[in-house]
């Protein structure tokens, strides 16, 4: 029996999908890369923007056509959209076999068991596929920040930190399996707290473990990123030189309406503090364009912030109305035409900035961890500590190794060079 999982949305979902795959493999199923070959297909959904929901429904539409000719096909829907729109999915897509929301993720094994071939427990074999280079480890679930545009606190529930003993066990297992890089996940890792251990404490505990060489984390909230954490990153060389620090808007009026709990000036002070304490850090950010009430002046403030701060990378999202959020009820919606125009203006400008920032790497030889190898094209995909993708040609598969590459070419979001 073969299964296929399509993952939409954030790294948290990638992590949950990995866990589902691990369970299915342990129950004798094999993973396939083409849903047309599968006997069980699962879409792990995202609800952060309307476009992600649309993607899930069109995929389900295509799977229905397959199921018409292959009635035994098991179709499952998991994740955030499955959490808050379970009823709608069940009415719109009657052919779906199970719907399991993000909050009920722990019930996955129970839910799918009835679709799996009967095996006696002794024949269960452990997770055997070759180890990946990095592993996502969820350290917190949910979010209690209630940014006014965001659906996450409603679908994933309140913020909950996971027991650090469980996290440490997961890290130990990962490095024993050959994982080279640990990526800690939470909607706001800066507010991690379990039995008196905060996020800095957790980082210290993880980096003290044998064989842990590289640690990343995401995502941060400017209101909670502490001086103590900045200090720890500065001195702890196992922590990668990258901080994703969503700004969302450069206008104080919009930040207030978004319920972000900081002003642009506070953000800028924090940003400069990080840059001064950790000179080789790469700071990336998220921006939402077209939040209700965003005027030309508000947009100008965001545009100027992007020019002034010079992010290493910027993710720019068009505001998407999410049901039941406070922003959904706000007046002064920005027309889509204006959102598109502002989006293009900022995207073009920020791409020039990111490219210029990457240009400082030209002719430099940098250390990268190889993540993937394409044997057909003989190209390798790697990442440096600053989280920039680096491509290079190689005759050998160097996946999992740290190698030196001399950078010859840069793009806004990636670079390429020669293996040294
Ligand atoms: N519309 C557009 N973008 C959103 N994000 C969250 N909610 C919305 C929404 N309703 C963006 C934020 C967040 C990123 C993960 O997604 O910028 O940081
Ligand atoms: Fe959403 Fe804000 Fe929580 Fe991030 S911090 S998940 S944007 S509510």
């Amino acid at each position: 029996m073969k299964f296929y999982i399509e993952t939409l949305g954030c790294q948290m979902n990638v992590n949950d999908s990995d866990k589902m795959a691990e369970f299915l493999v342990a129950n004798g199923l094999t993973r396939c890369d083409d849903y047309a070959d599968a006997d069980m297909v699962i879409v792990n959904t995202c609800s952060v923007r309307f476009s992600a929901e649309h993607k899930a429904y069109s995929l389900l539409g295509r799977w229905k056509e397959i199921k018409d000719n292959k009635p035994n096909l098991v179709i499952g829907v998991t994740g955030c959209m499955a959490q808050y729109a379970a009823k709608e999915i069940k009415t719109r897509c009657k052919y779906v076999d199970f719907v399991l929301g993000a909050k009920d993720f722990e019930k996955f094994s129970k839910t799918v068991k009835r679709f799996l071939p009967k095996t006696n427990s002794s024949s269960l074999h452990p997770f055997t596929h070759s180890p990946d280079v990095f592993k996502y480890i969820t350290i917190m679930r949910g979010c209690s920040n209630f940014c006014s545009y965001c659906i996450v606190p409603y679908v994933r529930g309140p913020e909950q930190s996971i027991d650090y003993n469980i996290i440490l066990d997961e890290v130990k297992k990962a490095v024993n399996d050959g994982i080279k890089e640990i990526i800690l996940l939470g909607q706001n890792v800066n507010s991690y707290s379990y039995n008196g251990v905060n996020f800095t404490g957790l980082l210290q505990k993880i980096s003290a473990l044998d064989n842990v060489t590289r640690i990343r984390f995401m995502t941060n909230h400017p209101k909670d990123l502490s001086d103590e954490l900045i200090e720890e990153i500065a001195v702890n060389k196992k922590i990668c030189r990258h901080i994703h620090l969503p700004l969302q808007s450069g206008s104080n009026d919009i930040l207030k309406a978004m319920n972000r709990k900081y002003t642009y000036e506070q953000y800028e002070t924090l940003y400069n503090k990080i840059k001064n304490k950790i000179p080789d850090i790469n700071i990336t950010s998220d921006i939402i364009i077209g939040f209700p009430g965003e005027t030309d002046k508000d947009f100008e403030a965001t545009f100027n912030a992007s020019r002034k701060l010079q992010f290493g990378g910027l993710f720019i999202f068009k505001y998407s109305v999410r049901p039941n959020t406070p922003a959904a009820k706000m007046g002064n919606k920005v027309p889509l035409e204006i959102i598109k125009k502002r989006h293009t203006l900022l995207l073009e400008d920020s791409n020039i900035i990111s490219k210029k920032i990457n240009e400082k790497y030209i002719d430099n030889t940098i250390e990268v961890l190889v993540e993937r190898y394409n044997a057909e094209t003989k190209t390798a995909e790697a990442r440096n500590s600053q989280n920039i993708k680096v491509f290079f040609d190689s005759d050998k598969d160097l996946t999992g190794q740290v190698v030196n590459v001399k950078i010859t070419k840069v793009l806004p979001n990636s670079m390429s060079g020669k293996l040294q």
Side-chain angles (χ1 to χ4, degrees), residues 18 59 61 115 277 315:
D18 282 352
L59 196 59
F115 303 109
K277 287 259 160 111
F315 298 89

Side-chain angles (χ1 to χ4, degrees), residues 145-164:
N145 287 310
F146 292 95
C147 300
S148 62
Y149 49 80
C150 187
I151 199 168
V152 170
Y154 306 94
V155 295
R156 292 215 165 225
E159 178 186 290
Q160 258 180 308
S161 295
I162 292 170
D163 182 345
Y164 52 79

Side-chain angles (χ1 to χ4, degrees), residues 10-11 47-50 147-152 187 219-220 244-249 258 260 285-289 291 315-323 325 327:
C10 67
Q11 285 83 359
S47 56
V48 85
R49 281 173 289 276
F50 174 76
C147 300
S148 62
Y149 49 80
C150 187
I151 199 168
V152 170
Q187 301 296 346
T219 196
N220 299 278
H244 186 65
L245 192 65
L247 169 63
Q248 310 298 6
S249 170
M258 285 176 163
R260 289 291 289 176
S285 200
D286 290 344
I287 292 285
I288 296 177
I289 292 293
F291 184 84
F315 298 89
I316 310 166
F317 305 105
K318 299 184 191 104
Y319 171 69
S320 172
V321 182
R322 303 289 60 218
T325 57

Side-chain angles (χ1 to χ4, degrees), residues 8 27 53 56 60 93 97 133 145 159 164 211 224 234 250 256 260 286-288 308 315 331 366 374 384 389 399 413:
L8 305 173
N27 278 276
E53 296 190 355
L60 287 170
C93 313
D97 297 281
V133 176
N145 287 310
E159 178 186 290
Y164 52 79
N211 300 326
D224 296 315
K256 190 147 196 259
R260 289 291 289 176
D286 290 344
I287 292 285
I288 296 177
K308 189 161 183 204
F315 298 89
I366 59 167
N374 184 330
N384 70 351
K389 263 206 173 120
T399 303
N413 301 311

Side-chain angles (χ1 to χ4, degrees), residues 217-264:
F217 53 84
M218 68 187 334
T219 196
N220 299 278
H221 197 306
K223 78 176 167 65
D224 296 315
L225 201 154
S226 67
D227 288 356
E228 188 197 25
L229 176 60
I230 300 172
E231 206 56 56
E232 179 64 27
I233 301 169
V235 298
N236 188 337
K237 297 295 174 219
K238 291 188 176 182
I239 303 176
C240 288
R241 281 23 219 154
H242 171 230
I243 295 184
H244 186 65
L245 192 65
L247 169 63
Q248 310 298 6
S249 170
S251 151
N252 284 336
D253 289 343
I254 297 296
L255 285 172
K256 190 147 196 259
M258 285 176 163
N259 192 29
R260 289 291 289 176
K261 303 189 183 89
Y262 55 83
T263 62
Y264 170 71

Side-chain angles (χ1 to χ4, degrees), residues 3 27 67 78 88 191 200 204 211 222 238 258 285 322 375 414:
F3 72 93
N27 278 276
K67 192 163 178 159
T78 59
E88 188 187 337
S191 61
T200 307
Q204 287 165 341
N211 300 326
K238 291 188 176 182
M258 285 176 163
S285 200
R322 303 289 60 218
S414 66

